PDB file of all heavy atoms in Angstrom:
ATOM      1  N   ILE A1253     -20.823  28.014 -10.389  1.00  0.00           N
ATOM      2  CA  ILE A1253     -21.004  26.714  -9.760  1.00  0.00           C
ATOM      3  C   ILE A1253     -21.915  25.877 -10.646  1.00  0.00           C
ATOM      4  O   ILE A1253     -23.124  26.061 -10.673  1.00  0.00           O
ATOM      5  CB  ILE A1253     -21.633  26.853  -8.357  1.00  0.00           C
ATOM      6  CG1 ILE A1253     -20.784  27.784  -7.492  1.00  0.00           C
ATOM      7  CG2 ILE A1253     -21.812  25.511  -7.696  1.00  0.00           C
ATOM      8  CD1 ILE A1253     -19.420  27.234  -7.162  1.00  0.00           C
ATOM      9  N   GLU A1254     -21.310  24.983 -11.394  1.00  0.00           N
ATOM     10  CA  GLU A1254     -22.076  24.184 -12.326  1.00  0.00           C
ATOM     11  C   GLU A1254     -22.469  22.858 -11.677  1.00  0.00           C
ATOM     12  O   GLU A1254     -21.635  22.182 -11.093  1.00  0.00           O
ATOM     13  CB  GLU A1254     -21.243  23.924 -13.584  1.00  0.00           C
ATOM     14  CG  GLU A1254     -20.828  25.211 -14.282  1.00  0.00           C
ATOM     15  CD  GLU A1254     -19.830  24.937 -15.385  1.00  0.00           C
ATOM     16  OE1 GLU A1254     -20.187  24.213 -16.321  1.00  0.00           O
ATOM     17  OE2 GLU A1254     -18.711  25.422 -15.292  1.00  0.00           O
ATOM     18  N   LYS A1255     -23.712  22.526 -11.760  1.00  0.00           N
ATOM     19  CA  LYS A1255     -24.183  21.290 -11.178  1.00  0.00           C
ATOM     20  C   LYS A1255     -23.487  20.110 -11.851  1.00  0.00           C
ATOM     21  O   LYS A1255     -23.385  20.042 -13.071  1.00  0.00           O
ATOM     22  CB  LYS A1255     -25.698  21.155 -11.358  1.00  0.00           C
ATOM     23  CG  LYS A1255     -26.489  22.246 -10.653  1.00  0.00           C
ATOM     24  CD  LYS A1255     -26.409  22.102  -9.151  1.00  0.00           C
ATOM     25  CE  LYS A1255     -27.262  23.142  -8.446  1.00  0.00           C
ATOM     26  NZ  LYS A1255     -27.187  23.022  -6.988  1.00  0.00           N
ATOM     27  N   ASP A1256     -22.989  19.188 -11.020  1.00  0.00           N
ATOM     28  CA  ASP A1256     -22.210  18.102 -11.589  1.00  0.00           C
ATOM     29  C   ASP A1256     -23.058  16.862 -11.868  1.00  0.00           C
ATOM     30  O   ASP A1256     -22.590  15.750 -11.791  1.00  0.00           O
ATOM     31  CB  ASP A1256     -21.039  17.742 -10.680  1.00  0.00           C
ATOM     32  CG  ASP A1256     -21.489  17.141  -9.364  1.00  0.00           C
ATOM     33  OD1 ASP A1256     -22.685  17.224  -9.071  1.00  0.00           O
ATOM     34  OD2 ASP A1256     -20.652  16.567  -8.670  1.00  0.00           O
ATOM     35  N   ILE A1261     -19.067  16.036 -16.740  1.00  0.00           N
ATOM     36  CA  ILE A1261     -18.190  16.182 -15.570  1.00  0.00           C
ATOM     37  C   ILE A1261     -17.789  14.821 -15.040  1.00  0.00           C
ATOM     38  O   ILE A1261     -16.605  14.565 -14.796  1.00  0.00           O
ATOM     39  CB  ILE A1261     -18.880  17.011 -14.464  1.00  0.00           C
ATOM     40  CG1 ILE A1261     -19.098  18.437 -14.947  1.00  0.00           C
ATOM     41  CG2 ILE A1261     -18.049  17.006 -13.189  1.00  0.00           C
ATOM     42  CD1 ILE A1261     -19.838  19.314 -13.959  1.00  0.00           C
ATOM     43  N   VAL A1265     -14.060  13.083 -14.735  1.00  0.00           N
ATOM     44  CA  VAL A1265     -13.567  12.560 -13.454  1.00  0.00           C
ATOM     45  C   VAL A1265     -13.134  11.110 -13.611  1.00  0.00           C
ATOM     46  O   VAL A1265     -12.055  10.713 -13.140  1.00  0.00           O
ATOM     47  CB  VAL A1265     -14.654  12.699 -12.362  1.00  0.00           C
ATOM     48  CG1 VAL A1265     -14.287  11.877 -11.132  1.00  0.00           C
ATOM     49  CG2 VAL A1265     -14.844  14.153 -11.978  1.00  0.00           C
ATOM     50  N   ALA A1359     -10.614   8.884  -4.608  1.00  0.00           N
ATOM     51  CA  ALA A1359     -10.850   9.936  -5.606  1.00  0.00           C
ATOM     52  C   ALA A1359     -12.339  10.112  -5.874  1.00  0.00           C
ATOM     53  O   ALA A1359     -12.821  11.235  -6.045  1.00  0.00           O
ATOM     54  CB  ALA A1359     -10.107   9.603  -6.900  1.00  0.00           C
ATOM     55  N   LEU A1360     -13.085   9.008  -5.907  1.00  0.00           N
ATOM     56  CA  LEU A1360     -14.536   9.096  -6.110  1.00  0.00           C
ATOM     57  C   LEU A1360     -15.211   9.786  -4.929  1.00  0.00           C
ATOM     58  O   LEU A1360     -16.167  10.550  -5.109  1.00  0.00           O
ATOM     59  CB  LEU A1360     -15.120   7.697  -6.317  1.00  0.00           C
ATOM     60  CG  LEU A1360     -14.839   7.049  -7.681  1.00  0.00           C
ATOM     61  CD1 LEU A1360     -15.331   5.615  -7.699  1.00  0.00           C
ATOM     62  CD2 LEU A1360     -15.494   7.853  -8.806  1.00  0.00           C
ATOM     63  N   PHE A1361     -14.734   9.533  -3.718  1.00  0.00           N
ATOM     64  CA  PHE A1361     -15.285  10.236  -2.558  1.00  0.00           C
ATOM     65  C   PHE A1361     -14.965  11.727  -2.621  1.00  0.00           C
ATOM     66  O   PHE A1361     -15.794  12.567  -2.242  1.00  0.00           O
ATOM     67  CB  PHE A1361     -14.744   9.636  -1.261  1.00  0.00           C
ATOM     68  CG  PHE A1361     -15.684   8.651  -0.622  1.00  0.00           C
ATOM     69  CD1 PHE A1361     -15.420   7.298  -0.683  1.00  0.00           C
ATOM     70  CD2 PHE A1361     -16.835   9.074   0.012  1.00  0.00           C
ATOM     71  CE1 PHE A1361     -16.281   6.372  -0.112  1.00  0.00           C
ATOM     72  CE2 PHE A1361     -17.711   8.176   0.587  1.00  0.00           C
ATOM     73  CZ  PHE A1361     -17.440   6.813   0.532  1.00  0.00           C
ATOM     74  N   ILE A1362     -13.773  12.063  -3.092  1.00  0.00           N
ATOM     75  CA  ILE A1362     -13.423  13.482  -3.251  1.00  0.00           C
ATOM     76  C   ILE A1362     -14.393  14.138  -4.237  1.00  0.00           C
ATOM     77  O   ILE A1362     -14.878  15.256  -4.014  1.00  0.00           O
ATOM     78  CB  ILE A1362     -11.963  13.617  -3.726  1.00  0.00           C
ATOM     79  CG1 ILE A1362     -11.015  13.216  -2.578  1.00  0.00           C
ATOM     80  CG2 ILE A1362     -11.664  15.049  -4.179  1.00  0.00           C
ATOM     81  CD1 ILE A1362      -9.568  13.090  -2.995  1.00  0.00           C
ATOM     82  N   TYR A1363     -14.682  13.440  -5.326  1.00  0.00           N
ATOM     83  CA  TYR A1363     -15.683  13.943  -6.280  1.00  0.00           C
ATOM     84  C   TYR A1363     -17.035  14.105  -5.607  1.00  0.00           C
ATOM     85  O   TYR A1363     -17.741  15.105  -5.819  1.00  0.00           O
ATOM     86  CB  TYR A1363     -15.791  12.970  -7.459  1.00  0.00           C
ATOM     87  CG  TYR A1363     -17.044  13.162  -8.285  1.00  0.00           C
ATOM     88  CD1 TYR A1363     -17.196  14.265  -9.117  1.00  0.00           C
ATOM     89  CD2 TYR A1363     -18.087  12.239  -8.202  1.00  0.00           C
ATOM     90  CE1 TYR A1363     -18.366  14.448  -9.857  1.00  0.00           C
ATOM     91  CE2 TYR A1363     -19.238  12.408  -8.931  1.00  0.00           C
ATOM     92  CZ  TYR A1363     -19.376  13.516  -9.759  1.00  0.00           C
ATOM     93  OH  TYR A1363     -20.524  13.691 -10.483  1.00  0.00           O
ATOM     94  N   LYS A1364     -17.393  13.132  -4.760  1.00  0.00           N
ATOM     95  CA  LYS A1364     -18.675  13.183  -4.056  1.00  0.00           C
ATOM     96  C   LYS A1364     -18.779  14.440  -3.193  1.00  0.00           C
ATOM     97  O   LYS A1364     -19.819  15.113  -3.162  1.00  0.00           O
ATOM     98  CB  LYS A1364     -18.818  11.929  -3.189  1.00  0.00           C
ATOM     99  CG  LYS A1364     -20.014  11.915  -2.248  1.00  0.00           C
ATOM    100  CD  LYS A1364     -21.319  11.794  -3.002  1.00  0.00           C
ATOM    101  CE  LYS A1364     -22.484  11.664  -2.039  1.00  0.00           C
ATOM    102  NZ  LYS A1364     -23.789  11.617  -2.762  1.00  0.00           N
ATOM    103  N   PHE A1365     -17.693  14.775  -2.497  1.00  0.00           N
ATOM    104  CA  PHE A1365     -17.711  15.959  -1.637  1.00  0.00           C
ATOM    105  C   PHE A1365     -17.646  17.253  -2.448  1.00  0.00           C
ATOM    106  O   PHE A1365     -18.083  18.301  -1.978  1.00  0.00           O
ATOM    107  CB  PHE A1365     -16.559  15.904  -0.628  1.00  0.00           C
ATOM    108  CG  PHE A1365     -16.824  14.991   0.531  1.00  0.00           C
ATOM    109  CD1 PHE A1365     -16.262  13.724   0.585  1.00  0.00           C
ATOM    110  CD2 PHE A1365     -17.660  15.380   1.556  1.00  0.00           C
ATOM    111  CE1 PHE A1365     -16.520  12.875   1.640  1.00  0.00           C
ATOM    112  CE2 PHE A1365     -17.934  14.540   2.625  1.00  0.00           C
ATOM    113  CZ  PHE A1365     -17.354  13.280   2.674  1.00  0.00           C
ATOM    114  N   CYS A1366     -17.099  17.190  -3.638  1.00  0.00           N
ATOM    115  CA  CYS A1366     -17.063  18.373  -4.511  1.00  0.00           C
ATOM    116  C   CYS A1366     -18.430  18.651  -5.140  1.00  0.00           C
ATOM    117  O   CYS A1366     -18.742  19.800  -5.473  1.00  0.00           O
ATOM    118  CB  CYS A1366     -16.045  18.172  -5.626  1.00  0.00           C
ATOM    119  SG  CYS A1366     -14.314  18.255  -5.104  1.00  0.00           S
ATOM    120  N   LYS A1367     -19.209  17.612  -5.297  1.00  0.00           N
ATOM    121  CA  LYS A1367     -20.477  17.710  -6.018  1.00  0.00           C
ATOM    122  C   LYS A1367     -21.362  18.796  -5.421  1.00  0.00           C
ATOM    123  O   LYS A1367     -21.605  18.849  -4.227  1.00  0.00           O
ATOM    124  CB  LYS A1367     -21.184  16.356  -5.952  1.00  0.00           C
ATOM    125  CG  LYS A1367     -22.369  16.227  -6.883  1.00  0.00           C
ATOM    126  CD  LYS A1367     -22.918  14.806  -6.801  1.00  0.00           C
ATOM    127  CE  LYS A1367     -24.099  14.629  -7.739  1.00  0.00           C
ATOM    128  NZ  LYS A1367     -24.647  13.259  -7.658  1.00  0.00           N
ATOM    129  N   ASP A1368     -21.843  19.674  -6.280  1.00  0.00           N
ATOM    130  CA  ASP A1368     -22.745  20.776  -5.909  1.00  0.00           C
ATOM    131  C   ASP A1368     -22.100  21.814  -4.991  1.00  0.00           C
ATOM    132  O   ASP A1368     -22.773  22.730  -4.521  1.00  0.00           O
ATOM    133  CB  ASP A1368     -24.017  20.253  -5.236  1.00  0.00           C
ATOM    134  CG  ASP A1368     -24.824  19.350  -6.159  1.00  0.00           C
ATOM    135  OD1 ASP A1368     -24.680  19.490  -7.387  1.00  0.00           O
ATOM    136  OD2 ASP A1368     -25.582  18.506  -5.649  1.00  0.00           O
ATOM    137  N   ARG A1369     -20.800  21.676  -4.706  1.00  0.00           N
ATOM    138  CA  ARG A1369     -20.094  22.660  -3.887  1.00  0.00           C
ATOM    139  C   ARG A1369     -19.052  23.432  -4.684  1.00  0.00           C
ATOM    140  O   ARG A1369     -18.755  24.577  -4.371  1.00  0.00           O
ATOM    141  CB  ARG A1369     -19.343  21.967  -2.741  1.00  0.00           C
ATOM    142  CG  ARG A1369     -20.172  21.469  -1.590  1.00  0.00           C
ATOM    143  CD  ARG A1369     -19.267  21.053  -0.439  1.00  0.00           C
ATOM    144  NE  ARG A1369     -20.038  20.581   0.702  1.00  0.00           N
ATOM    145  CZ  ARG A1369     -20.302  19.312   0.959  1.00  0.00           C
ATOM    146  NH1 ARG A1369     -19.841  18.374   0.137  1.00  0.00           N
ATOM    147  NH2 ARG A1369     -21.018  18.972   2.009  1.00  0.00           N
ATOM    148  N   VAL A1370     -18.489  22.780  -5.673  1.00  0.00           N
ATOM    149  CA  VAL A1370     -17.252  23.250  -6.294  1.00  0.00           C
ATOM    150  C   VAL A1370     -17.465  23.476  -7.786  1.00  0.00           C
ATOM    151  O   VAL A1370     -18.146  22.677  -8.444  1.00  0.00           O
ATOM    152  CB  VAL A1370     -16.128  22.198  -6.080  1.00  0.00           C
ATOM    153  CG1 VAL A1370     -14.815  22.669  -6.681  1.00  0.00           C
ATOM    154  CG2 VAL A1370     -15.954  21.909  -4.591  1.00  0.00           C
ATOM    155  N   PRO A1371     -16.908  24.547  -8.347  1.00  0.00           N
ATOM    156  CA  PRO A1371     -16.965  24.740  -9.801  1.00  0.00           C
ATOM    157  C   PRO A1371     -16.346  23.557 -10.539  1.00  0.00           C
ATOM    158  O   PRO A1371     -15.425  22.910 -10.038  1.00  0.00           O
ATOM    159  CB  PRO A1371     -16.154  26.021 -10.024  1.00  0.00           C
ATOM    160  CG  PRO A1371     -16.197  26.730  -8.724  1.00  0.00           C
ATOM    161  CD  PRO A1371     -16.230  25.677  -7.675  1.00  0.00           C
ATOM    162  N   LYS A1372     -16.845  23.312 -11.727  1.00  0.00           N
ATOM    163  CA  LYS A1372     -16.431  22.141 -12.504  1.00  0.00           C
ATOM    164  C   LYS A1372     -14.916  22.005 -12.632  1.00  0.00           C
ATOM    165  O   LYS A1372     -14.356  20.933 -12.397  1.00  0.00           O
ATOM    166  CB  LYS A1372     -17.071  22.215 -13.897  1.00  0.00           C
ATOM    167  CG  LYS A1372     -16.697  21.069 -14.819  1.00  0.00           C
ATOM    168  CD  LYS A1372     -17.482  21.135 -16.117  1.00  0.00           C
ATOM    169  CE  LYS A1372     -17.108  22.365 -16.933  1.00  0.00           C
ATOM    170  NZ  LYS A1372     -17.800  22.353 -18.249  1.00  0.00           N
ATOM    171  N   LYS A1373     -14.244  23.098 -12.980  1.00  0.00           N
ATOM    172  CA  LYS A1373     -12.794  23.029 -13.218  1.00  0.00           C
ATOM    173  C   LYS A1373     -12.029  22.673 -11.947  1.00  0.00           C
ATOM    174  O   LYS A1373     -10.989  22.016 -11.992  1.00  0.00           O
ATOM    175  CB  LYS A1373     -12.294  24.352 -13.788  1.00  0.00           C
ATOM    176  CG  LYS A1373     -12.589  25.547 -12.902  1.00  0.00           C
ATOM    177  CD  LYS A1373     -12.306  26.846 -13.620  1.00  0.00           C
ATOM    178  CE  LYS A1373     -12.665  28.043 -12.741  1.00  0.00           C
ATOM    179  NZ  LYS A1373     -12.445  29.325 -13.421  1.00  0.00           N
ATOM    180  N   TRP A1374     -12.561  23.115 -10.790  1.00  0.00           N
ATOM    181  CA  TRP A1374     -11.898  22.796  -9.530  1.00  0.00           C
ATOM    182  C   TRP A1374     -12.168  21.352  -9.116  1.00  0.00           C
ATOM    183  O   TRP A1374     -11.345  20.735  -8.408  1.00  0.00           O
ATOM    184  CB  TRP A1374     -12.331  23.766  -8.431  1.00  0.00           C
ATOM    185  CG  TRP A1374     -11.633  25.089  -8.515  1.00  0.00           C
ATOM    186  CD1 TRP A1374     -12.114  26.241  -9.064  1.00  0.00           C
ATOM    187  CD2 TRP A1374     -10.315  25.392  -8.045  1.00  0.00           C
ATOM    188  NE1 TRP A1374     -11.185  27.245  -8.962  1.00  0.00           N
ATOM    189  CE2 TRP A1374     -10.065  26.751  -8.340  1.00  0.00           C
ATOM    190  CE3 TRP A1374      -9.322  24.659  -7.410  1.00  0.00           C
ATOM    191  CZ2 TRP A1374      -8.870  27.379  -8.017  1.00  0.00           C
ATOM    192  CZ3 TRP A1374      -8.122  25.275  -7.082  1.00  0.00           C
ATOM    193  CH2 TRP A1374      -7.906  26.615  -7.386  1.00  0.00           C
ATOM    194  N   ILE A1375     -13.294  20.792  -9.532  1.00  0.00           N
ATOM    195  CA  ILE A1375     -13.540  19.373  -9.276  1.00  0.00           C
ATOM    196  C   ILE A1375     -12.433  18.543  -9.912  1.00  0.00           C
ATOM    197  O   ILE A1375     -11.852  17.647  -9.290  1.00  0.00           O
ATOM    198  CB  ILE A1375     -14.912  18.937  -9.831  1.00  0.00           C
ATOM    199  CG1 ILE A1375     -16.040  19.599  -9.056  1.00  0.00           C
ATOM    200  CG2 ILE A1375     -15.055  17.412  -9.773  1.00  0.00           C
ATOM    201  CD1 ILE A1375     -17.426  19.294  -9.600  1.00  0.00           C
ATOM    202  N   TYR A1376     -12.125  18.865 -11.159  1.00  0.00           N
ATOM    203  CA  TYR A1376     -11.066  18.134 -11.859  1.00  0.00           C
ATOM    204  C   TYR A1376      -9.729  18.288 -11.139  1.00  0.00           C
ATOM    205  O   TYR A1376      -8.957  17.327 -11.027  1.00  0.00           O
ATOM    206  CB  TYR A1376     -10.930  18.650 -13.302  1.00  0.00           C
ATOM    207  CG  TYR A1376     -12.186  18.566 -14.127  1.00  0.00           C
ATOM    208  CD1 TYR A1376     -12.419  19.459 -15.175  1.00  0.00           C
ATOM    209  CD2 TYR A1376     -13.160  17.610 -13.867  1.00  0.00           C
ATOM    210  CE1 TYR A1376     -13.575  19.397 -15.938  1.00  0.00           C
ATOM    211  CE2 TYR A1376     -14.319  17.534 -14.632  1.00  0.00           C
ATOM    212  CZ  TYR A1376     -14.519  18.434 -15.651  1.00  0.00           C
ATOM    213  OH  TYR A1376     -15.673  18.371 -16.400  1.00  0.00           O
ATOM    214  N   PHE A1377      -9.475  19.486 -10.641  1.00  0.00           N
ATOM    215  CA  PHE A1377      -8.200  19.722  -9.953  1.00  0.00           C
ATOM    216  C   PHE A1377      -8.089  18.866  -8.697  1.00  0.00           C
ATOM    217  O   PHE A1377      -7.054  18.221  -8.461  1.00  0.00           O
ATOM    218  CB  PHE A1377      -8.052  21.201  -9.583  1.00  0.00           C
ATOM    219  CG  PHE A1377      -6.863  21.470  -8.698  1.00  0.00           C
ATOM    220  CD1 PHE A1377      -5.584  21.525  -9.218  1.00  0.00           C
ATOM    221  CD2 PHE A1377      -7.029  21.641  -7.329  1.00  0.00           C
ATOM    222  CE1 PHE A1377      -4.489  21.750  -8.401  1.00  0.00           C
ATOM    223  CE2 PHE A1377      -5.934  21.876  -6.498  1.00  0.00           C
ATOM    224  CZ  PHE A1377      -4.661  21.936  -7.042  1.00  0.00           C
ATOM    225  N   PHE A1378      -9.124  18.852  -7.866  1.00  0.00           N
ATOM    226  CA  PHE A1378      -9.039  18.117  -6.600  1.00  0.00           C
ATOM    227  C   PHE A1378      -8.905  16.614  -6.834  1.00  0.00           C
ATOM    228  O   PHE A1378      -8.157  15.939  -6.121  1.00  0.00           O
ATOM    229  CB  PHE A1378     -10.266  18.418  -5.734  1.00  0.00           C
ATOM    230  CG  PHE A1378     -10.248  19.790  -5.125  1.00  0.00           C
ATOM    231  CD1 PHE A1378     -11.309  20.665  -5.324  1.00  0.00           C
ATOM    232  CD2 PHE A1378      -9.175  20.218  -4.361  1.00  0.00           C
ATOM    233  CE1 PHE A1378     -11.306  21.928  -4.764  1.00  0.00           C
ATOM    234  CE2 PHE A1378      -9.159  21.493  -3.797  1.00  0.00           C
ATOM    235  CZ  PHE A1378     -10.226  22.347  -4.004  1.00  0.00           C
ATOM    236  N   VAL A1379      -9.617  16.094  -7.817  1.00  0.00           N
ATOM    237  CA  VAL A1379      -9.487  14.671  -8.135  1.00  0.00           C
ATOM    238  C   VAL A1379      -8.080  14.377  -8.648  1.00  0.00           C
ATOM    239  O   VAL A1379      -7.438  13.396  -8.242  1.00  0.00           O
ATOM    240  CB  VAL A1379     -10.545  14.239  -9.162  1.00  0.00           C
ATOM    241  CG1 VAL A1379     -10.318  12.793  -9.598  1.00  0.00           C
ATOM    242  CG2 VAL A1379     -11.948  14.383  -8.578  1.00  0.00           C
ATOM    243  N   LEU A1614      -7.864  17.332   3.007  1.00  0.00           N
ATOM    244  CA  LEU A1614      -8.312  17.721   1.671  1.00  0.00           C
ATOM    245  C   LEU A1614      -9.832  17.835   1.631  1.00  0.00           C
ATOM    246  O   LEU A1614     -10.380  18.822   1.105  1.00  0.00           O
ATOM    247  CB  LEU A1614      -7.826  16.697   0.639  1.00  0.00           C
ATOM    248  CG  LEU A1614      -8.291  16.902  -0.803  1.00  0.00           C
ATOM    249  CD1 LEU A1614      -7.861  18.271  -1.323  1.00  0.00           C
ATOM    250  CD2 LEU A1614      -7.759  15.795  -1.703  1.00  0.00           C
ATOM    251  N   ILE A1615     -10.521  16.863   2.206  1.00  0.00           N
ATOM    252  CA  ILE A1615     -11.987  16.891   2.197  1.00  0.00           C
ATOM    253  C   ILE A1615     -12.503  18.049   3.053  1.00  0.00           C
ATOM    254  O   ILE A1615     -13.450  18.750   2.671  1.00  0.00           O
ATOM    255  CB  ILE A1615     -12.551  15.544   2.691  1.00  0.00           C
ATOM    256  CG1 ILE A1615     -12.254  14.461   1.651  1.00  0.00           C
ATOM    257  CG2 ILE A1615     -14.055  15.643   2.936  1.00  0.00           C
ATOM    258  CD1 ILE A1615     -12.608  13.058   2.091  1.00  0.00           C
ATOM    259  N   ALA A1617     -11.000  20.858   3.606  1.00  0.00           N
ATOM    260  CA  ALA A1617     -10.739  22.087   2.844  1.00  0.00           C
ATOM    261  C   ALA A1617     -11.785  22.288   1.754  1.00  0.00           C
ATOM    262  O   ALA A1617     -12.218  23.418   1.489  1.00  0.00           O
ATOM    263  CB  ALA A1617      -9.339  22.036   2.240  1.00  0.00           C
ATOM    264  N   ILE A1618     -12.213  21.199   1.120  1.00  0.00           N
ATOM    265  CA  ILE A1618     -13.233  21.286   0.072  1.00  0.00           C
ATOM    266  C   ILE A1618     -14.571  21.713   0.672  1.00  0.00           C
ATOM    267  O   ILE A1618     -15.250  22.612   0.148  1.00  0.00           O
ATOM    268  CB  ILE A1618     -13.367  19.932  -0.654  1.00  0.00           C
ATOM    269  CG1 ILE A1618     -12.120  19.649  -1.505  1.00  0.00           C
ATOM    270  CG2 ILE A1618     -14.623  19.905  -1.530  1.00  0.00           C
ATOM    271  CD1 ILE A1618     -12.050  18.239  -2.051  1.00  0.00           C
ATOM    272  N   ILE A1619     -14.967  21.078   1.769  1.00  0.00           N
ATOM    273  CA  ILE A1619     -16.248  21.413   2.396  1.00  0.00           C
ATOM    274  C   ILE A1619     -16.255  22.868   2.873  1.00  0.00           C
ATOM    275  O   ILE A1619     -17.248  23.589   2.700  1.00  0.00           O
ATOM    276  CB  ILE A1619     -16.537  20.461   3.576  1.00  0.00           C
ATOM    277  CG1 ILE A1619     -16.709  19.028   3.065  1.00  0.00           C
ATOM    278  CG2 ILE A1619     -17.798  20.899   4.332  1.00  0.00           C
ATOM    279  CD1 ILE A1619     -16.818  17.984   4.172  1.00  0.00           C
ATOM    280  N   TRP A1705     -11.563  28.707  -4.176  1.00  0.00           N
ATOM    281  CA  TRP A1705     -12.170  29.132  -5.442  1.00  0.00           C
ATOM    282  C   TRP A1705     -13.172  30.248  -5.161  1.00  0.00           C
ATOM    283  O   TRP A1705     -13.611  30.446  -4.042  1.00  0.00           O
ATOM    284  CB  TRP A1705     -12.857  27.959  -6.137  1.00  0.00           C
ATOM    285  CG  TRP A1705     -14.028  27.415  -5.376  1.00  0.00           C
ATOM    286  CD1 TRP A1705     -15.324  27.834  -5.450  1.00  0.00           C
ATOM    287  CD2 TRP A1705     -14.022  26.358  -4.409  1.00  0.00           C
ATOM    288  NE1 TRP A1705     -16.119  27.113  -4.607  1.00  0.00           N
ATOM    289  CE2 TRP A1705     -15.338  26.198  -3.941  1.00  0.00           C
ATOM    290  CE3 TRP A1705     -13.024  25.529  -3.893  1.00  0.00           C
ATOM    291  CZ2 TRP A1705     -15.686  25.236  -2.997  1.00  0.00           C
ATOM    292  CZ3 TRP A1705     -13.370  24.581  -2.952  1.00  0.00           C
ATOM    293  CH2 TRP A1705     -14.672  24.447  -2.515  1.00  0.00           C
TER     294      TRP A1705
END
Side-chain angles (χ1 to χ4, degrees):
I1253 304 293
E1254 301 171 61
K1255 297 291 183 180
D1256 67 348
I1261 295 177
V1265 167
L1360 286 173
F1361 262 106
I1362 290 170
Y1363 163 72
K1364 172 69 175 177
F1365 282 102
C1366 287
K1367 192 176 181 181
D1368 298 336
R1369 285 191 179 96
V1370 182
K1372 179 174 66 175
K1373 58 190 178 182
W1374 281 99
I1375 293 176
Y1376 303 152
F1377 171 78
F1378 287 125
V1379 174
L1614 176 58
I1615 291 173
I1618 290 169
I1619 296 172
W1705 65 88

